[in-house]
Amino acid sequence: MSTSLLYHILGIRGYKYKRTDYLKRATQFAMTQDPEKLQCATCGSYDVHPRGSRLRRFKAPPWCSKSIEILFAIPRVECENCGEYRQVKIQFADPQKSYTRSFERYVLDLSQSMTIQDVATHLGVRWDLIKEIQKRNLQRKYARPKLKHLRLLAIDEIAIAKGHTYVTIVMDLESGAVVFVGDGKDAEALKPLWKRLRSSRAKIEAVAVDMGPAYIKAVTANLPDATIVFDHFHVIKLFNEKLTQLRRALFRKAKKEDKSVLKGIRFLLLKNPEHLNSEREEKERLQAALKLNKPLAIAYYMKEELRQFWSQANWWKANRYLTSWIHRAIASGVRMLKKFAKTLETHRQGLLAYYRFSISTGPLEGTNNKIKTMKRQAYGFRDHEFFKLKILGIQETKYRLVG
């Protein structure tokens, strides 16, 4: 095997081929470095004197399904310019690594369509070596995402483990990229983000959040010029939670013969009317329950009317529509609707802000589903930092794995 084949097959340039050893577990290519090309690893001086060597083995990409190793005695030199003893730089591998750069690239290519364990089994190495390569690549690409260009953000939390373990996700709504992952789901989780936004001098125009007081307070304090837009998915979700509580209360008070009608209609109440299944007679079952209880019927139809708030022609019509809805909710006599109407009145500006910035946390909800799928595929992550890096790089994937 010639030196040119060493370069063309294994991507190693500037070294001389010495010999090939055919072992049971791998094929080893031994090579040497020209003494005249030795230079100091620190200052780059060629005015050096050889002072022994250290034999190392490096993992290289497989060739025809055969494991390949590079056997290389790393020269040690004395630099007259520095006056110290040092090993020379290795051109084909990073310091302190047992694999070549071409092997690293090969692993990353395989990681686009294979799990960590699959790649490790295919290459005959430990799974933690594959994880280390993935982690280094993710750190280089995503550990410090650029924030200067950010204008529109979405903030939401996601549960990552049992026991109320959460992370807070911040997404750039223009690119769809996750730009920050914080530990927890309160204002403390966002502190590192505010510091980085100030240093990057990003001009945030609007932020989509739910109506949780923690995020509202944090955004108001740290981004005073940004417009807060309350996400309509969370508003309807909150209404559905109140509607579910109302159904439970009415069910407890209902007569025995009426409970059979109210039983099992929770998901019918939460469904959009256009999604009711006619084959299962879901519409008929829902109508029977609504006829049975007037407060439940009023709350259900008020929910459907509230959904129309986000489809108004402009800000002025949306403002009138919201005012009308609040007045009708208060006049309904249903306690749950009265309380919810006061909540909407308190958050009126954030609701109407949708007509200045038509943004929501909807794209972030899609990313949250991808994160949950990724977590299930990996059967969980023990390395929390690695998990966060995976999240930061998840926008590049559709059906492929992050790596």
Side-chain angles (χ1 to χ4, degrees):
M1 181 175 178
S2 67
T3 299
S4 61
L5 288 177
L6 192 69
Y7 166 63
H8 288 292
I9 293 178
L10 300 176
I12 298 175
R13 178 189 294 178
Y15 298 87
K16 291 184 177 181
Y17 168 74
K18 188 176 179 182
R19 69 177 188 276
T20 302
D21 297 324
Y22 298 98
L23 308 177
K24 184 177 181 180
R25 60 184 177 85
T27 299
Q28 284 186 349
F29 296 121
M31 62 186 193
T32 60
Q33 189 170 6
D34 189 344
E36 295 182 0
K37 295 183 178 180
L38 298 179
Q39 63 183 121
C40 177
T42 303
C43 67
S45 172
Y46 287 93
D47 194 5
V48 296
H49 304 286
R51 293 292 185 266
S53 62
R54 180 189 175 191
L55 189 63
R56 291 274 307 277
R57 291 181 178 84
F58 298 89
K59 196 78 176 175
W63 184 24
C64 297
S65 71
K66 185 72 173 179
S67 296
I68 303 296
E69 290 182 353
I70 302 299
L71 193 64
F72 179 55
I74 307 173
R76 184 176 175 82
V77 297
E78 179 186 2
C79 178
E80 289 195 2
N81 188 34
C82 299
E84 303 213 2
Y85 291 75
R86 293 186 176 88
Q87 284 186 348
V88 299
K89 278 186 178 178
I90 307 172
Q91 303 300 328
F92 57 87
D94 291 332
Q96 308 300 320
K97 300 303 176 186
S98 61
Y99 46 84
T100 65
R101 291 193 181 97
S102 58
F103 180 80
E104 182 176 3
R105 290 192 296 270
Y106 185 63
V107 166
L108 294 175
D109 287 341
L110 293 178
S111 297
Q112 297 298 313
S113 55
M114 299 169 66
T115 65
I116 290 177
Q117 186 60 60
D118 289 339
V119 177
T121 302
H122 172 66
L123 297 177
V125 297
R126 304 183 317 275
W127 72 270
D128 55 323
L129 177 64
I130 306 303
K131 177 201 148 188
E132 173 197 319
I133 292 174
Q134 285 194 15
K135 188 173 181 179
R136 289 181 67 223
N137 181 59
L138 291 169
Q139 285 173 332
R140 285 194 296 263
K141 295 172 68 175
Y142 304 114
R144 298 285 292 180
K146 295 181 180 179
L147 306 179
K148 186 177 181 180
H149 65 284
L150 297 181
R151 291 191 319 111
L152 307 174
L153 300 179
I155 302 175
D156 199 5
E157 74 275 354
I158 177 175
I160 59 170
K162 293 181 179 179
H164 303 288
T165 303
Y166 293 86
V167 292
T168 295
I169 310 293
V170 181
M171 172 181 278
D172 174 12
L173 288 173
E174 292 184 303
S175 68
V178 176
V179 296
F180 178 78
V181 182
D183 297 320
K185 63 171 185 176
D186 52 14
E188 292 292 320
L190 293 168
K191 275 190 174 182
L193 174 66
W194 308 135
K195 185 177 180 180
R196 291 196 56 210
L197 285 175
R198 284 192 292 269
S199 62
S200 66
R201 298 183 180 180
K203 297 180 180 179
I204 308 300
E205 297 180 18
V207 183
V209 295
D210 59 25
M211 292 193 293
Y215 288 156
I216 297 172
K217 185 177 180 181
V219 173
T220 303
N222 294 278
L223 299 174
D225 297 329
T227 300
I228 295 178
V229 181
F230 293 126
D231 177 62
H232 57 280
F233 295 107
H234 282 88
V235 175
I236 298 300
K237 179 183 177 182
L238 180 60
F239 192 101
N240 282 334
E241 291 173 359
K242 303 297 183 183
L243 186 60
T244 299
Q245 293 173 8
L246 176 63
R247 187 203 68 85
R248 287 173 182 167
L250 294 174
F251 182 83
R252 287 193 294 266
K253 296 178 181 178
K255 298 178 182 179
K256 187 176 181 180
E257 58 270 19
D258 295 339
K259 285 186 177 182
S260 60
V261 180
L262 292 172
K263 188 176 181 180
I265 67 160
R266 177 193 168 200
F267 293 105
L268 302 183
L269 289 169
L270 304 185
K271 266 189 175 183
N272 294 336
E274 60 271 20
H275 295 157
L276 292 173
N277 193 321
S278 57
E279 294 181 1
R280 298 178 182 176
E281 299 183 347
E282 290 182 344
K283 189 173 182 179
E284 290 76 7
R285 288 174 56 201
L286 178 61
Q287 290 298 325
L290 295 179
K291 288 180 181 178
L292 191 64
N293 196 289
K294 186 177 179 181
L296 186 64
I298 293 173
Y300 175 78
Y301 290 120
M302 288 296 287
K303 183 195 79 167
E304 296 309 310
E305 290 182 13
L306 180 60
R307 289 175 57 208
Q308 303 306 313
F309 167 77
W310 287 276
S311 58
Q312 300 302 304
N314 53 51
W315 186 95
W316 306 104
K317 290 185 178 180
N319 186 40
R320 289 197 296 270
Y321 190 91
L322 181 61
T323 301
S324 172
W325 192 95
I326 290 173
H327 288 164
R328 285 183 287 116
I330 294 173
S332 68
V334 181
R335 184 180 177 186
M336 181 275 282
L337 287 175
K338 289 181 179 180
K339 292 180 68 175
F340 200 82
K342 291 179 181 178
T343 299
L344 296 187
E345 183 62 50
T346 303
H347 299 87
R348 175 186 285 267
Q349 295 303 318
L351 293 168
L352 292 170
Y354 177 80
Y355 287 89
R356 286 185 57 202
F357 299 95
S358 300
I359 60 175
S360 73
T361 62
L364 190 49
E365 291 295 332
T367 297
N368 287 348
N369 290 332
K370 290 176 71 175
I371 293 170
K372 292 174 182 177
T373 301
M374 179 182 68
K375 188 163 65 75
R376 285 195 300 269
Q377 288 175 334
Y379 294 96
F381 287 84
R382 288 179 290 178
D383 187 338
H384 189 60
E385 182 186 358
F386 183 49
F387 180 50
K388 290 168 70 173
L389 288 169
K390 284 273 197 177
I391 295 174
L392 288 168
I394 204 168
Q395 82 278 1
E396 288 192 355
T397 65
K398 290 184 180 177
Y399 300 103
R400 301 188 303 173
L401 303 177
V402 180

